Amino acid sequence: MADVTLQNLIKTFDTVEAVRGIDLRIPNNEFVVLVGPSGCGKSTVLRMVAGLEEVTSGDIRIGDTRVNDVPPKDRNIAMVFQNYALYPHMTVAQNMSFGLRLRKVAKSEIRDKVQRAADILGIAELLDRRPRELSGGQRQRVAMGRAIVRDPEVFLFDEPLSNLDAKLRGQMRIEIQRLHQQLRTTTIYVTHDQVEAMTLADRVVVMNAGRIEQAGIPDEVYHRPRTRFVAGFMGSPAMNFLDCQLTEENGRTVARLAAGPALPLPAEQAARVRSYTGRKLVAGLRPENIREAASHDGTNSSGVPHDISIDIVEPLGRETIVYFRLGDATLCARVGTEVHPRAGEQTSLVFHPDRLHLIDPETDLVL
Amino acid sequence: MTAIPFATAPSLRSNRRWALIAAYACLGIFVIFFLFPPYYMLVTSLKTNAEIAELASNPWIVTDGVTFGHYEHLLTESSFPRFFLNTTIVTVIVVAITMVISVLAAYSLARLRFWGSGVLATGVFLTYLVPDTLLFIPLFKIVGWLGLLDTYWSLILVYPTLTVPFCTWIMIGYFGSIPRELDEAALIDGANHLQMLLKVFIPVALPGLIAATIFAFTVSWANFLYPLAYIYSESEMVLTVGTVTTLIKGDVFHWGGLMAGALLAAAPPVILYAFLMDYYIAGLTSGATKG
C-alpha cells in the first residue's frame, strides 16, 4: 500500500492540452474519486498513473518512487476497465491468474489467491466459465478479481460501472465499497456519475477542462462548492442558477432574485458578501431548498414564500420534482409527497435562503 | 414480384415464404452450376477409356461399368504420389513461413505506433494487387540467379510473395478489431510484446489466423503459373502442373486419369474447408468490416 502523489501533471495530445497541471496527494488507504464531464481529463490522469499514457510534464510518485518512466507492470498497480477487458479465450480463473502466471508465481500460491479473491467477490462457482458465459455484473467482478489477486499498492478504476444497468450499478457500488473497507488499498476511481462519486469517495476530486475545480470530502463538495461548475455538477437535479442583486433592506443584506423573491441572507454569509452590495451576482439554490409552503417538518420557518405557476411535474414516489418558470429561467423544486401539484396550477413555494450560494459571475467563484 | 392489389397485400408471413422460395431457387441454381464440374470429373474418372472415347455414350452417367483403373494407375504407375508429396512439402513450408511473417508484421502494423506504419500497411496490400502474370518474369531472373530453377524450393521462395501481403492484411484487420483495453490489461498484468502476441492476440484472433492459413494453403496448393514457369523435371513437379504435363502426351488426353488426378488434388483443400468453414467465414467478415 502506498501514497500516490501527482505534481503539476500535464498531458498534451498533439496540440490539445488534456490535463493542465494537476496537483494531488492521495494518502495511503484513501478512496479518491475523480469526477467530471466527458473530456475533462480524468481518464487521462488515471491512465498516466497506470503508465498507459506518457506524462508530458510533471511527476507521478507511488510511495517514494517517481514512476514517470516505470513501465505499467512494475508500478504495482491494478486497473479495472470500463468494458472489463477480460481475455475472451481464458476461463475466469485463467483471467484472474494471468498476471501471476506471467510473474512466475508458484502454482499453489496462485490457486490460493484466486480462490480467496473469488470468495470475496462471490464468483467461486464461475471459475471455469469463459467471459462470454457471464453477465455484465459477473464480468465486472472478474475484472475486479483480476485486480485483487495481484495484491497491488494502488487500484485504478476507469468508469467500471458505466456499462451496467442502473440496478446492478447500485449493487456493484456497494460491493466496491465493501471491498475497499476490507482491503484498504489506495484507490483512484474515475467516473462521470456524481452519485458514484458521492457514495464511494473518501474524497471527491471534481475536474473540469483538465484542471481540478475542487477536492474535498463528498459533503463539503456538495454543500460548500467552491465554483459555479462544482455547484452545478454535483447534485441531481442540478442546482438552480438565476441572476440576483445584493441589496441592503432594513439593515439586512438581501439577495433579490430576478423576477423572484428577495431572500434575506443569514448573518454569517451577509458579513462575508457585504462588499458585493449593489452588484449583480448569480444565486445558486438547490431544488431541495425550494419546498412546498405547508411542510410538516417545520423547516419552512425561515423561508420566503413566492407564488409561481407550475410548468412540469415529475412524481418520483418519495418526492416530487416540480419545474416552474421565474422570469426567463426554469427552476426546479423538490416537494414532499403530501402535496399533489399539477401542471399549470398556481401555487406558493418557499425559498430557503440559508443554503443560498452566491456566485461572482466574473470569476465563477462561490462567495 | 408482380403487382398485388393493395387490398390483398400479402401478410409478412407469406412475404417471408416467397422470399425463402426465391432464395432456395437461386441457391439451387448456384449449387447445380458449381457442382457440375466436380460431378463431371467424378463420372469421367470412373469410366473406362473406351466409354470416354465413345461419342454416342451418355456423358452424365456411367453405363459400361465403374472402373477404378484410372486411380490405380495414377497411384501406382505414375509420378502422382511424388507430385502429391512435393506439393505437400511446398504448401506446409509456405504456410509456416507466411504465418510467421504475416502475424509478426500484422501485430507491429496494427499495434506498434511507429513512423510510417500506416503507409507501410497500405503498401503491403498494394503489393498484393500486382498480378502474378507480371511478377513471374522478374522473379524468374531472381530464382535463376539463386540457382533454384527446376527445384520446388523456387516455389517455397516465391509463393510467400503472394501469400504474405494478403495474410498480413487479413491479420491487421483482425488484430485491429481487438479492443485496446485488452493490450492495456495485459500490459498491466506484466506481459511483454511477445507474450501479448502469443498469449492474447493469437488466441483471440484465431478465426482470422485460420482464414489466413486457409488462404495461404489454397494459394500454394493450387498455383499453376509459377510451377509451370520454373519447374521442368518430373521429380520436382507439383500436382497442378505435374498432373497435366504427364497425363497429356502430345495431343493425347488421358481424360480418365486427368479427372481422377484433379479430384484427388482437390481433396485436401475441400477437406480443410469443410472442417474450418465456420472459422474461415468469421475471419474474413471480421477482417472486412475493420480493414
Side-chain angles (χ1 to χ4, degrees), chain A residues 44-116:
Chain A
T44 310
V45 170
L46 191 78
R47 293 170 56 80
M48 283 194 280
V49 175
L52 300 173
E53 298 285 354
E54 269 178 45
V55 174
T56 307
S57 78
D59 280 337
I60 300 174
R61 286 171 194 283
I62 296 177
D64 299 326
T65 327
R66 180 178 177 276
V67 296
N68 286 36
D69 304 315
V70 176
K73 69 183 169 82
D74 299 326
R75 292 189 183 198
N76 209 357
I77 47 140
M79 185 155 167
V80 178
F81 295 85
Q82 178 178 350
N83 64 2
Y84 326 124
L86 299 178
Y87 310 116
H89 58 294
M90 296 185 196
T91 63
V92 167
Q94 288 167 336
N95 260 288
M96 287 165 67
S97 62
F98 186 60
L100 299 176
R101 281 183 284 139
L102 288 177
R103 286 173 167 75
K104 307 248 182 288
V105 175
K107 278 214 175 83
S108 58
E109 195 183 335
I110 291 179
R111 209 168 32 242
D112 292 348
K113 284 188 167 181
V114 168
Q115 193 58 51
R116 200 170 43 117

Side-chain angles (χ1 to χ4, degrees), chain B residues 255-267:
Chain B
W255 284 118
L258 272 172
M259 293 301 140
L263 271 185
L264 287 180

Side-chain angles (χ1 to χ4, degrees), chain A residues 72-237:
Chain A
K73 69 183 169 82
D74 299 326
R75 292 189 183 198
N76 209 357
I77 47 140
M79 185 155 167
V80 178
F81 295 85
Q82 178 178 350
N83 64 2
Y84 326 124
L86 299 178
Y87 310 116
H89 58 294
M90 296 185 196
T91 63
V92 167
Q94 288 167 336
N95 260 288
M96 287 165 67
S97 62
F98 186 60
L100 299 176
R101 281 183 284 139
L102 288 177
R103 286 173 167 75
K104 307 248 182 288
V105 175
K107 278 214 175 83
S108 58
E109 195 183 335
I110 291 179
R111 209 168 32 242
D112 292 348
K113 284 188 167 181
V114 168
Q115 193 58 51
R116 200 170 43 117
D119 289 340
I120 291 175
L121 293 164
I123 50 172
E125 70 285 0
L126 304 176
L127 285 175
D128 293 325
R129 296 225 196 140
R130 284 181 207 285
R132 65 169 174 276
E133 299 160 342
L134 304 177
S135 68
Q138 290 169 331
R139 287 180 200 183
Q140 196 50 274
R141 270 172 235 251
V142 176
M144 290 199 287
R146 184 167 66 181
I148 293 173
V149 294
R150 296 260 316 280
D151 209 0
E153 287 189 314
V154 184
F155 276 137
L156 306 174
F157 289 88
D158 191 2
E159 309 216 14
L161 306 185
S162 49
N163 281 2
L164 304 178
D165 63 53
K167 190 173 169 206
L168 202 51
R169 208 179 304 155
Q171 286 172 5
M172 291 304 289
R173 226 162 48 209
I174 295 170
E175 299 252 342
I176 291 176
Q177 219 164 359
R178 188 173 294 137
L179 198 66
H180 185 247
Q181 280 166 7
Q182 211 169 339
L183 303 174
R184 306 303 304 167
T185 307
T186 312
T187 304
I188 309 178
Y189 185 107
V190 162
T191 180
H192 61 266
D193 179 354
Q194 35 114 359
V195 178
E196 269 170 47
M198 292 291 288
T199 50
L200 286 171
D202 292 328
R203 197 150 55 109
V204 175
V205 176
V206 185
M207 287 184 65
N208 183 31
R211 290 203 179 81
I212 293 179
E213 292 268 339
Q214 184 170 2
I217 59 169
D219 221 34
E220 180 186 324
V221 171
Y222 188 80
H223 290 296
R224 290 200 299 282
R226 257 209 318 258
T227 65
R228 177 175 178 159
F229 176 83
V230 176
F233 188 79
M234 301 304 283
S236 171

Side-chain angles (χ1 to χ4, degrees), chain B residues 234-266:
Chain B
E234 207 169 305
S235 63
E236 295 290 319
M237 272 187 188
V238 291
L239 277 171
T240 45
V241 174
T243 313
V244 173
T245 50
T246 55
L247 295 174
I248 301 174
K249 302 245 157 56
D251 58 353
V252 181
F253 288 77
H254 293 270
W255 284 118
L258 272 172
M259 293 301 140
L263 271 185
L264 287 180

